[in-house]
């Protein structure tokens, strides 16, 4: 659903510059993201205790990839059907459950898309069913996600690839509004980065739907499944370790908060700027649920008791990150919606845009990223320091956010010109005040 567009806007301008180092970089990420998702499972497993022998890894990779039985083992029909049922549920819930419709940001055509907000009730319904099932039948009734992990990963990769192919193919239909960065003419790059800005089936927007629902909610369900698996091994829900509870509470709160504040995503770069291609599809459907839940999976077979002191310290670290993250995003969303309840200072550019220069946004140009990184670090701390693999998420996340910050700075430099130089003098730090 979209409002009326201006008729004289070019819908498919040619992309003039590359991101991700162009087609070679796009191909590299396309191949390595699924490979890393699988690799984190095999590299951090019960068999090796999440401490793989680095010297034997190359030989193990060659042996596995040359063995047809290993490839067959990645497929699990039951897991695939369950995943399809899960995805179907989220789609049906989008259509059936009530929700407000809001306008997104103004498109370059002058029109606006309308988005339905019901991710939160979608999660509440499935969480209610999940808790009821566990209460009635015990934790052993919800361990399938742990038992068939690889099968679910493969199902998500198939779904992500299928959607990326569909969206790329249909982006060539007449009248499609293409992303400014996704129409280079190179198949590899455009397939990866996303050619069409807002691929939709009627009023059903594929990109924003995938951003929050099937992958993000599944991440929380995976964490719950990991806690149930640990409970089965330890003799009941009351025996779940404090480290597992911390991970479950931290990540569960993060997911629920994102779903409750669903409207906030419609001002992000993913929605306003990027097309929907393999990059977002594999990220939303595979990377988020199966990589972000690494800490919970590790704690199934490495059951760590932190004690009250360390539990409190880690809880405080996460709470600090959340306070910064939510406070910064709240200021941004209020300001972009036309209100300024804190009377924050700002500068006005020659184009008429306003840039915040006080509050959280006076400390750095991306204070929400700083809060996000603090939370990511806190999510890894319950796993202890026996392996660096459980800190993969925060390491990757730091690289991701720095890359996003660089992309955003480049975009704003082109958009605002000298005004951006002035703004950078007023707010000199990129993410972490006084450090970066």
């Amino acid at each position: 659903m979209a409002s009326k567009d201006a008729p004289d806007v070019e819908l498919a301008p040619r992309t003039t510059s590359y991101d991700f180092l162009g087609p070679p970089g796009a191909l590299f990420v396309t191949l390595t993201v699924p490979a890393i998702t699988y690799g984190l499972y095999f590299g951090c497993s019960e068999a090796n205790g999440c401490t793989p022998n680095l010297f034997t890894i190359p030989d193990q990779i060659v042996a596995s990839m040359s063995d047809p039985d290993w490839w067959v083992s990645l497929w699990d029909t039951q897991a695939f059907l369950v995943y399809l049922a899960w995805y179907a549920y989220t789609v049906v819930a989008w259509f059936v459950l009530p929700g407000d419709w809001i306008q997104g940001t103004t498109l370059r055509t002058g029109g606006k898309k309308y988005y339905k907000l019901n991710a939160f009730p979608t999660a509440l319904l499935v969480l209610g069913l999940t808790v009821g099932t566990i209460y009635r039948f015990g934790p052993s009734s919800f361990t399938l996600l742990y038992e068939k992990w690889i099968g679910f990963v493969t199902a998500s990769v198939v779904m992500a690839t299928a959607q990326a192919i569909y969206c790329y193919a249909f982006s060539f239909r007449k009248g499609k509004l293409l992303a400014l960065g996704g129409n280079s003419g190179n198949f590899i790059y455009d397939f990866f980065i996303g050619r069409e800005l807002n691929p939709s089936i009627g009023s059903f927007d594929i990109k924003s739907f995938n951003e929050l629902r099937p992958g993000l909610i599944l991440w929380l369900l995976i964490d719950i499944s990991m806690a149930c698996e640990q409970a089965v091994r330890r003799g009941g829900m009351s025996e779940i370790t404090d480290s597992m509870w911390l991970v479950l509470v931290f990540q569960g709160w993060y997911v629920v908060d994102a779903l409750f504040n669903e409207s906030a995503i419609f001002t992000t770069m993913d929605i306003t700027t990027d097309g929907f291609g393999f990059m977002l599809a594999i990220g939303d459907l595979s990377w988020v649920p199966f990589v972000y839940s690494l800490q919970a999976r590790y704690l199934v077979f490495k059951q760590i008791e932190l004690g009250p002191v360390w539990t409190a310290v880690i809880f405080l670290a996460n709470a600090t990150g959340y306070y910064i993250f939510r406070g910064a995003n709240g200021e941004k969303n209020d300001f972009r919606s036309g209100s300024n309840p804190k009377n924050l200072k700002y500068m006005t550019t020659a184009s008429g845009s306003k840039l915040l220069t006080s509050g959280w946004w006076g400390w750095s140009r991306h204070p929400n990223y700083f809060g996000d990184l603090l939370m990511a670090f806190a999510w890894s701390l319950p796993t202890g320091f026996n392996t660096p693999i459980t800190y993969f998420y925060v390491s990757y996340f730091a690289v991701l956010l720095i890359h996003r910050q660089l992309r955003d700075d480049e975009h704003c430099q082109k958009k605002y010109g000298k005004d951006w130089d002035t703004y950078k003098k007023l707010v000199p730090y990129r993410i972490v005040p006084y450090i970066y």
Side-chain angles (χ1 to χ4, degrees), residues 105 257-258 261-268 325-341 344 356 361 368:
T105 58
D257 178 78
N261 294 284
E262 181 179 5
S263 60
I265 73 163
F266 301 111
T267 59
T268 64
F325 173 79
R326 180 48 55 206
N329 279 334
E331 289 179 353
K332 178 186 69 173
N333 293 333
D334 285 341
F335 194 72
R336 285 183 173 178
S337 65
S339 62
N340 187 8
L344 299 177
L356 283 172
W361 299 88
N368 51 338

Side-chain angles (χ1 to χ4, degrees), residues 62 77 104 118 145 152 161 171 176 187 212 227 233 236 253 266 275 308 361 379 393 427:
V62 171
T77 300
N118 66 356
L145 287 165
F152 282 111
T161 304
S171 70
K176 296 294 186 180
F187 163 72
L212 285 182
R233 298 185 183 199
W253 181 264
F266 301 111
W361 299 88
W379 298 350
Y393 170 70
V427 187

Side-chain angles (χ1 to χ4, degrees), residues 416-427:
Y416 301 122
K418 293 182 179 179
D419 285 329
W420 187 248
D421 295 328
T422 302
Y423 170 72
K424 288 194 293 185
K425 292 178 181 178
L426 294 172
V427 187

Side-chain angles (χ1 to χ4, degrees), residues 355-432:
L355 304 174
L356 283 172
T357 59
S358 68
W360 287 112
W361 299 88
W363 287 100
S364 74
R365 300 199 287 273
H366 295 280
N368 51 338
Y369 291 0
F370 179 42
D372 235 348
L373 284 172
L374 279 178
M375 286 190 288
F377 185 58
W379 298 350
S380 298
L381 286 175
T383 64
F385 301 98
N386 294 321
T387 175
I389 296 178
T390 54
Y391 289 82
F392 170 82
Y393 170 70
V394 65
S395 303
Y396 144 78
F397 203 46
V399 173
L400 171 71
L401 292 181
I402 290 172
H403 178 257
R404 283 188 176 180
Q405 170 263 311
L406 292 173
R407 288 180 69 197
D408 187 58
D409 275 14
E410 181 181 2
H411 171 75
C412 291
Q413 187 70 61
K414 292 177 180 178
K415 182 177 180 180
Y416 301 122
K418 293 182 179 179
D419 285 329
W420 187 248
D421 295 328
T422 302
Y423 170 72
K424 288 194 293 185
K425 292 178 181 178
L426 294 172
V427 187
Y429 300 105
R430 299 175 177 93
I431 298 175
V432 184

Side-chain angles (χ1 to χ4, degrees), residues 3 40 93 127 138 143 156 163 166 170 186 206 212-213 258 283 309 315-316 322 343 346 350 355 360 386 392 407 433:
S3 57
L40 286 172
L127 287 174
T143 59
S156 70
Q163 290 198 30
Y166 170 85
F170 276 77
N186 182 280
I206 296 173
L212 285 182
R213 288 170 175 79
V309 175
F315 186 87
L316 181 61
Y322 178 78
N343 294 316
Y346 59 88
L355 304 174
W360 287 112
N386 294 321
F392 170 82
R407 288 180 69 197

Side-chain angles (χ1 to χ4, degrees), residues 68-342:
D69 291 337
W70 180 82
W71 289 99
V72 172
S73 71
L74 301 181
W75 178 262
D76 187 300
T77 300
Q78 182 186 6
F80 184 75
L81 293 176
V82 172
Y83 183 85
L84 285 183
W86 160 248
Y87 198 93
Y89 160 76
T90 58
V91 173
V92 171
W94 183 91
F95 281 100
V96 173
L97 295 180
D100 294 332
W101 287 85
I102 67 165
Q103 283 187 332
T105 58
T106 303
L107 302 170
R108 67 175 187 272
T109 58
K112 291 186 177 183
K113 277 186 68 68
Y114 286 84
Y115 299 95
K116 187 177 183 181
L117 304 181
N118 66 356
F120 186 62
T122 298
L124 287 182
L125 177 57
V126 74
L127 287 174
L129 293 172
T130 300
V131 172
T133 299
I134 296 169
Y135 180 79
R136 176 66 178 83
F137 300 104
S140 61
S141 64
F142 201 68
T143 59
L144 187 68
L145 287 165
Y146 182 83
E147 296 162 0
K148 295 184 176 293
W149 182 278
I150 281 296
F152 282 111
V153 172
T154 300
S156 70
V157 171
V158 170
M159 176 64 79
T161 304
Q163 290 198 30
I165 292 172
Y166 170 85
C167 290
Y168 179 79
F170 276 77
S171 70
F172 288 93
R173 299 181 73 176
K174 185 178 180 181
K176 296 294 186 180
L177 177 64
L178 303 188
L180 293 177
N183 188 30
S184 69
N186 182 280
F187 163 72
I188 294 174
Y189 184 80
D190 294 347
F191 170 78
F192 168 75
I193 207 75
R195 196 165 182 271
E196 186 178 353
L197 181 61
N198 299 302
S200 305
I201 302 174
S203 60
F204 180 78
D205 184 79
I206 296 173
K207 182 169 65 173
S208 62
F209 172 81
N210 281 314
E211 189 83 6
L212 285 182
R213 288 170 175 79
L216 201 69
I217 301 174
L218 181 58
W219 172 18
L220 177 52
L221 295 178
I222 289 173
D223 280 357
I224 295 173
S225 183
M226 300 306 103
C228 286
E229 177 67 23
Q230 192 194 77
V232 170
R233 298 185 183 199
R234 290 176 63 87
M237 299 294 288
S238 63
E239 300 302 317
I240 293 175
T241 60
D242 49 11
S243 57
M244 179 68 85
W245 278 118
L246 279 181
V247 170
L248 183 57
V249 169
F250 290 168
Q251 297 185 354
W253 181 264
Y254 185 87
V255 170
V256 170
D257 178 78
L259 299 173
F260 185 77
N261 294 284
E262 181 179 5
S263 60
I265 73 163
F266 301 111
T267 59
T268 64
M269 181 179 290
D270 285 357
I271 302 298
T272 63
T273 305
D274 292 333
F276 185 76
F278 187 77
M279 177 182 71
L280 289 182
I282 197 72
D284 292 340
L285 301 180
S286 300
W287 190 264
V288 167
F290 295 102
V291 172
Y292 289 13
S293 55
L294 172 61
Q295 296 91 349
R297 185 169 62 80
Y298 172 79
L299 290 171
V300 170
F301 55 86
K302 289 291 185 180
Q303 298 163 6
I304 298 172
E305 292 285 4
L306 297 169
V309 175
W310 277 112
T311 297
V313 169
I314 296 171
F315 186 87
L316 181 61
N318 185 79
T320 302
Y322 178 78
Y323 178 74
I324 296 171
F325 173 79
R326 180 48 55 206
N329 279 334
E331 289 179 353
K332 178 186 69 173
N333 293 333
D334 285 341
F335 194 72
R336 285 183 173 178
S337 65
S339 62
N340 187 8
K342 295 183 179 180

